[in-house]
């Protein structure tokens, strides 16, 4: 047992500051301005949120909404994020010039009307000037908010469009000049103003605003307190609290790193007290943050783009995510239960600070806000209107208690203080945070439009899918493995949203060509894109967790992989065999009604058994420490069980049965692995 149980553990300001730096790596290092500059930028951010809320309820033409959205994103990004760190916390003259140019680009486009769109194949001089300026400003906004890598990738795609005739087979194509490229990227709704920006302007920003409303109405704090109370009083209470709280916090934060930091600052002292060593605790916190991205009802930004790419309802995307999310958290809960035995935590019980009943009785409306999105969609509302009305519900229900009210009740008692109280109210802070919190994602979506535009113009997606299939020899299994590797490698360098968009247009066609339904192919890519959150060098969630716990960043990353890898073999289930698509509930609310319920239950239970085998195998612990032979049998059984097919399932259950019998007999006889050894490896406790 470690000394951390007897020592009071706190999170230092230095650790929190270091963790915040990882959030800045994901969301950009923004300026913190005061005075009239701070007020101006805050007003602009609030205006952006109000405009999009108005656009959700009223009718704003697509040709107007998307350019205005990009104009807001570019101008605020160029003013809020400095060109270099040495210019931080001040706005330079070139920032103002770039911001004004981004506004001029939008004004020129909207004033051009139909004539502007009609001449996209033969743009004039001003069209080319503003189009080139837009591309350069998008690249610069991406660089300021998320770093160099995605802008460099976008430039490589642009070079591919220019240099097509000079490339070797099979990459060659006719090539495009600046005028044709600018006409497509700037003057149509296929390039920068394409699918990704459509989703960003109509859904992502609204969900970000909704998350900000939940956060500033106190929902985030309530979800943590509720999880502590619901899971306390048991040996596994500390770990279970992290798992449940990460699921509930996914909505308010919308970010894996932010969820990790928010939860870690509260949960690390508790994890240390019950016996988690630093790297294991950081791995669990990061794994919980990862779950926030894939958990309904508010998933990561890429989930909205899935719906748009496939032309399906967002409710269908939520439906597809239900069972995989449940299996992900099943894996985490299994890992936590094994931790109790592995680290000898049975004698330390985390006490409840309050009862679940008291918390629910006082703050039940926070759950209403969270589930109202799904309720509205089930009532027939579009996702845009559903999140709009869910935001209104969150705002109105906040007044049920004075400590959660988004506008102070003093405003109604003393009208002379209206402006001061309104300016400092959680409502204004939420509107501001809603816009500022999505600038990085908005810039990423605009940049992804450049990549998608090049792929569309050049036919790169079909070329790439043909190459992948040729390398795989037509094998669906190898094609899935190669696709997963491509998504993972791209995810090493760019955020989840960008890696999904890139791979959806260049890698998904390979799976679809081999008979995988489009919804299964896109969900496969989405889940592997999420791995970018835990894969170096962009393993921001584990790195942020290690900053809080004081652990080693790379050891924490490996611990996170240990916690999550059982669940990340699940996507192979729904691409390798039609029966596996039951995990996605057939991909549609329309087809689910006629689906084979027994087949869905069977594949779910079999996959759950595979996750159990993988969890115990990777942890190296069941009732007692497992032997090497038992671990190998369990891991092999888990892999066989998540590979669809009767033969593989029979092999999986057979290997698992043998491993369990061997382990049970050895546990009953009291013979530990490596009998005669001493030290931490013999006991299983952290050294």
């Amino acid at each position: 047992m470690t000394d951390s149980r007897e020592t009071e553990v706190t999170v230092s300001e230095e650790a929190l500051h270091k963790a915040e730096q990882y959030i800045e790596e994901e969301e950009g290092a923004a300026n913190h301005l005061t005075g009239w500059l701070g007020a101006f930028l805050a007003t602009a951010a609030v205006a952006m949120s109000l405009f999009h809320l108005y656009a959700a309820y009223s009718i704003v033409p697509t040709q107007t909404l998307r350019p205005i959205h990009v104009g807001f994103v570019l101008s605020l990004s160029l003013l809020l994020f400095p060109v270099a760190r040495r210019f931080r916390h001040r706005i330079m003259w070139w920032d103002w010039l770039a911001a004004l140019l981004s506004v001029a680009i939008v004004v020129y486009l909207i004033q051009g009307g139909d004539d502007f769109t009609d001449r996209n194949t033969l743009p004039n001089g001003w069209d080319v000037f503003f189009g080139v300026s837009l591309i350069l400003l998008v690249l610069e906004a991406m660089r300021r908010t998320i770093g160099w890598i995605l802008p460099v990738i976008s430039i490589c795609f642009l070079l591919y469009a220019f240099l097509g005739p000079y490339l070797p087979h099979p990459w060659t194509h006719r090539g495009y000049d600046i005028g044709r490229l600018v006409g497509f990227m700037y003057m149509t709704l296929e390039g920068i103003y394409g699918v990704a920006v459509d989703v960003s302007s109509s859904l992502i920003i609204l969900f970000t605003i909704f998350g900000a409303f939940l956060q500033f109405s106190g929902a985030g704090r309530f979800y943590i307190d509720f999880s502590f109370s619901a899971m306390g009083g048991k040996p596994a209470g500390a770990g279970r609290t992290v798992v449940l709280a990460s699921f509930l916090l996914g909505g308010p934060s919308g970010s894996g790193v932010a969820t990790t930091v928010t939860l870690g600052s509260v949960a690390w002292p508790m994890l240390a007290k019950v016996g988690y060593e630093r790297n294991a605790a950081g791995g669990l916190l990061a794994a919980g943050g990862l779950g926030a991205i894939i958990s309904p009802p508010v998933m990561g930004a890429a989930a909205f783009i899935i719906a748009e790419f496939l032309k399906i309802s967002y409710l269908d995307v939520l439906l597809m995510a239900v069972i995989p999310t449940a299996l992900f958290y099943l894996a985490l809960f299994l890992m936590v239960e094994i931790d109790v035995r592995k680290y000898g935590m049975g004698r330390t019980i985390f006490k409840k600070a309050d009862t679940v009943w008291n918390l629910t009785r006082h703050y039940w409306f926070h759950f209403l806000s969270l589930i109202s999105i799904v309720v509205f969609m089930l009532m027939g509302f579009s996702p845009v209107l559903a999140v709009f009305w869910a935001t209104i519900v969150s705002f109105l229900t906040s007044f049920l208690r004075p400590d959660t009210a988004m506008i102070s009740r003093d405003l109604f008692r003393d009208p002379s203080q209206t402006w001061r109280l309104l300016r400092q109210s959680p409502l204004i802070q939420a509107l501001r945070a809603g816009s500022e919190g999505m600038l990085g994602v908005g810039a990423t979506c605009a940049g992804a439009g450049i990549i998608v535009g090049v792929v569309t113009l050049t036919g790169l997606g079909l070329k790439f899918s043909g190459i992948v299939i040729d390398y795989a020899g037509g094998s669906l299994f190898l094609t899935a493995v190669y696709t997963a590797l491509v998504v993972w490698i791209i995810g090493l360098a760019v955020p989840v949203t960008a890696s999904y968009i890139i791979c959806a247009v260049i890698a998904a066609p390979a799976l679809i060509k081999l008979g995988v339904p489009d919804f299964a192919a896109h969900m496969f890519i989405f889940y592997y894109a999420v791995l970018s959150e835990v894969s170096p060098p962009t393993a921001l969630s584990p790195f942020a967790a290690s900053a809080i716990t004081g652990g080693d960043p790379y050891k924490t990353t490996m611990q996170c992989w240990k916690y999550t890898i059982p669940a990340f073999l699940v996507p192979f289930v729904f691409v390798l065999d039609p029966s596996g698509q039951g995990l996605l509930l057939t991909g549609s609310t329309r087809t689910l009604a006629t689906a084979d319920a027994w087949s869905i239950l069977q594949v779910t239970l079999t996959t759950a058994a595979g996750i159990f085998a993988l969890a115990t195998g990777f942890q190296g612990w069941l009732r007692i420490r497992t032997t090497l032979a038992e671990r190998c049998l369990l891991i092999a059984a888990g892999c066989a069980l998540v590979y669809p097919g009767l033969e593989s399932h029979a092999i999986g259950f057979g290997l698992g049965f043998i491993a369990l019998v061997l382990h049970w007999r050895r546990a009953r006889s009291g013979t530990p692995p490596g009998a005669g050894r001493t030290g931490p490896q013999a006991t299983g406790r952290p050294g």
Side-chain angles (χ1 to χ4, degrees):
M1 205 68 67
T2 62
D3 293 337
S4 59
R5 298 191 183 189
E6 286 76 35
T7 304
E8 186 68 26
V9 178
T10 59
V11 181
S12 67
E13 289 295 325
E14 181 182 356
L16 286 175
H17 177 69
K18 188 175 180 181
E20 291 290 339
Q21 289 179 335
Y22 288 109
I23 296 181
E24 288 185 351
E25 285 189 38
E26 182 181 60
E27 301 176 358
N31 293 320
H32 297 293
L33 301 168
T34 58
W36 73 269
L37 277 178
F40 171 77
L41 291 177
T43 302
V46 170
M48 180 179 177
S49 290
L50 291 175
F51 168 75
H52 284 87
L53 288 171
Y54 167 78
Y57 186 76
S58 184
I59 298 176
V60 176
T62 299
Q63 295 85 346
T64 302
L65 176 62
R66 296 186 196 179
I68 290 179
H69 174 73
V70 172
F72 267 122
V73 168
L74 292 182
S75 57
L76 281 173
S77 297
L78 295 167
L79 293 176
L80 274 170
F81 297 89
V83 69
R85 285 189 178 270
R86 66 177 180 274
F87 298 110
R88 198 174 178 192
H89 308 313
R90 49 188 168 143
I91 301 179
M92 308 304 293
W93 64 267
W94 52 75
D95 297 324
W96 288 111
L97 184 62
L100 290 173
L101 180 57
S102 65
V103 174
I105 290 168
V106 176
V107 173
Y108 179 78
L109 183 155
I110 293 175
Q111 285 188 338
D114 292 337
D115 291 340
F116 174 83
T117 305
D118 292 341
R119 62 175 184 266
N120 70 84
T121 55
L122 291 171
N124 61 35
W126 282 110
D127 297 337
V128 172
F129 168 76
F130 283 114
V132 170
S133 298
L134 175 63
I135 293 172
L136 293 176
L137 289 177
V138 167
L139 294 173
E140 174 61 9
M142 283 194 296
R143 186 193 68 81
R144 294 192 186 193
T145 55
I146 63 172
W148 276 100
I149 297 177
L150 189 56
V152 170
I153 293 174
S154 301
I155 291 170
C156 291
F157 273 87
L158 288 171
L159 291 175
Y160 176 75
F162 290 131
L163 303 176
Y166 308 102
L167 297 173
H169 180 79
W171 304 103
T172 186
H173 62 86
R174 56 174 287 191
Y176 297 90
D177 58 21
I178 291 179
R180 182 70 182 95
L181 203 61
V182 163
F184 191 81
M185 294 293 178
Y186 174 45
M187 304 173 71
T188 72
L189 297 178
E190 301 294 329
I192 291 174
Y193 300 126
V195 170
V197 163
D198 178 31
V199 175
S200 177
S201 62
S202 61
L203 276 174
I204 294 176
I205 186 169
L206 292 177
F207 274 87
T208 307
I209 294 169
F210 172 67
F213 270 65
L214 289 179
Q215 177 186 349
F216 283 95
S217 64
R221 178 72 256 179
F222 163 71
Y223 295 146
I224 294 177
D225 291 341
F226 178 86
S227 302
F228 278 30
S229 297
M231 296 301 176
K234 301 178 181 66
R240 290 177 180 177
T241 295
V242 171
V243 176
L244 178 59
S246 65
F247 172 74
L248 294 175
L249 276 175
S253 74
S255 163
V257 181
T259 300
T260 300
V261 173
T262 301
L263 188 56
S265 60
V266 179
W268 160 235
M270 174 185 64
L271 293 172
K273 185 176 180 181
V274 300
Y276 275 89
E277 58 94 20
R278 298 178 185 276
N279 298 314
L284 179 59
L285 290 168
L290 193 69
I293 307 174
I294 64 172
S295 302
V298 183
M299 300 170 67
F304 307 119
I305 301 175
I306 292 175
E308 189 63 27
F309 272 153
L310 298 180
K311 302 301 180 186
I312 60 176
S313 165
Y314 180 62
L315 187 61
D316 288 337
V317 179
L318 296 184
L319 182 75
M320 289 190 285
V322 168
I323 294 179
T325 300
L327 292 173
F328 178 86
Y329 282 102
L330 170 66
L332 288 189
F333 273 114
L334 286 172
M335 290 291 195
V336 165
E337 293 295 334
I338 295 172
D339 281 340
V340 173
R341 296 162 177 79
K342 185 175 182 179
Y343 296 136
M345 300 175 186
R347 294 188 297 276
T348 303
I349 297 177
F350 173 66
K351 301 298 182 183
K352 301 180 182 182
D354 198 356
T355 65
V356 172
W357 166 246
N358 278 339
L359 286 170
T360 306
R361 183 164 57 90
H362 290 112
Y363 299 100
W364 59 271
F365 51 88
H366 288 314
F367 285 126
L368 176 64
S369 301
L370 196 60
I371 67 173
S372 60
I373 295 176
V374 177
V375 172
F376 282 125
M377 283 192 284
L378 290 173
M379 290 170 60
F381 287 73
S382 69
V384 172
L385 277 178
V387 69
F388 171 82
W389 286 113
T391 304
I392 300 300
V393 168
S394 176
F395 172 70
L396 294 178
T397 56
S398 73
F399 291 99
L400 292 175
R401 288 187 59 85
D403 57 327
T404 62
M406 298 195 71
I407 298 178
S408 173
R409 295 181 181 180
D410 293 338
L411 183 144
F412 305 102
R413 300 189 187 102
D414 186 4
S416 64
Q417 299 293 317
T418 298
W419 172 244
R420 182 184 65 82
L421 293 173
L422 187 62
R423 181 166 48 87
Q424 298 174 353
S425 68
L427 172 63
I428 297 300
Q429 296 178 56
L431 290 171
R432 177 181 179 179
S435 291
E436 293 181 354
M438 65 81 55
L439 294 179
V441 175
T444 298
C445 289
I450 296 175
I451 296 171
V452 173
V454 170
V455 171
T456 303
L457 270 177
T458 62
L460 177 61
L462 295 176
K463 292 184 177 71
F464 186 84
S465 63
I467 293 170
V468 171
I469 293 173
D470 289 343
Y471 272 111
S475 165
L476 177 57
F477 174 73
L478 289 179
T479 301
V481 171
Y482 292 157
T483 301
L485 288 174
V486 168
V487 179
W488 179 64
I489 291 170
I490 292 177
L492 297 178
V494 299
V496 174
T497 305
S499 59
Y500 164 74
I501 293 173
I502 294 170
C503 296
V505 296
I506 68 171
L511 293 171
I512 295 171
K513 271 188 177 181
L514 293 178
V516 177
D518 54 2
F519 66 87
H522 280 259
M523 288 297 285
F524 180 87
I525 288 171
F526 168 66
Y527 276 98
Y528 279 100
V530 173
L531 277 176
S532 66
E533 284 282 327
V534 294
S535 303
T538 57
L540 298 181
S541 292
F543 281 24
S546 68
I548 289 175
T549 65
D552 178 87
Y554 292 98
K555 290 181 180 178
T556 300
T557 301
M558 295 310 297
Q559 288 287 332
C560 184
W561 271 81
K562 179 193 75 174
Y563 281 109
T564 57
I565 201 168
F568 276 106
L569 291 177
V570 170
F572 279 94
V573 178
F574 50 73
V575 298
L576 295 181
D577 191 86
S579 64
Q581 292 155 23
L583 289 183
L584 300 179
L585 295 175
T586 71
S588 171
T589 52
R590 295 186 302 275
T591 58
L592 181 60
T594 58
D596 185 347
W598 168 245
S599 176
I600 293 174
L601 179 62
Q602 187 178 34
V603 71
T604 302
L605 294 177
T606 303
T607 306
I611 287 176
F612 171 80
L614 290 169
T616 53
F618 283 117
Q619 280 277 48
W621 202 279
L622 194 51
R623 290 188 65 192
I624 59 174
R625 178 179 292 277
T626 58
T627 63
L628 179 61
E630 291 166 358
R631 292 189 73 173
C632 292
L633 285 171
L634 287 167
I635 292 173
C639 292
L641 288 170
V642 297
Y643 189 96
L646 292 177
E647 290 184 2
S648 63
H649 289 170
I651 293 172
F653 281 116
L655 293 176
F657 179 76
I658 293 171
L660 291 176
V661 169
L662 292 174
H663 185 82
W664 187 267
R665 291 179 61 185
R666 192 167 53 81
R668 289 190 65 184
S669 67
T671 305
R677 293 187 304 181
T678 60
Q681 294 302 315
T683 64
R685 296 175 184 174

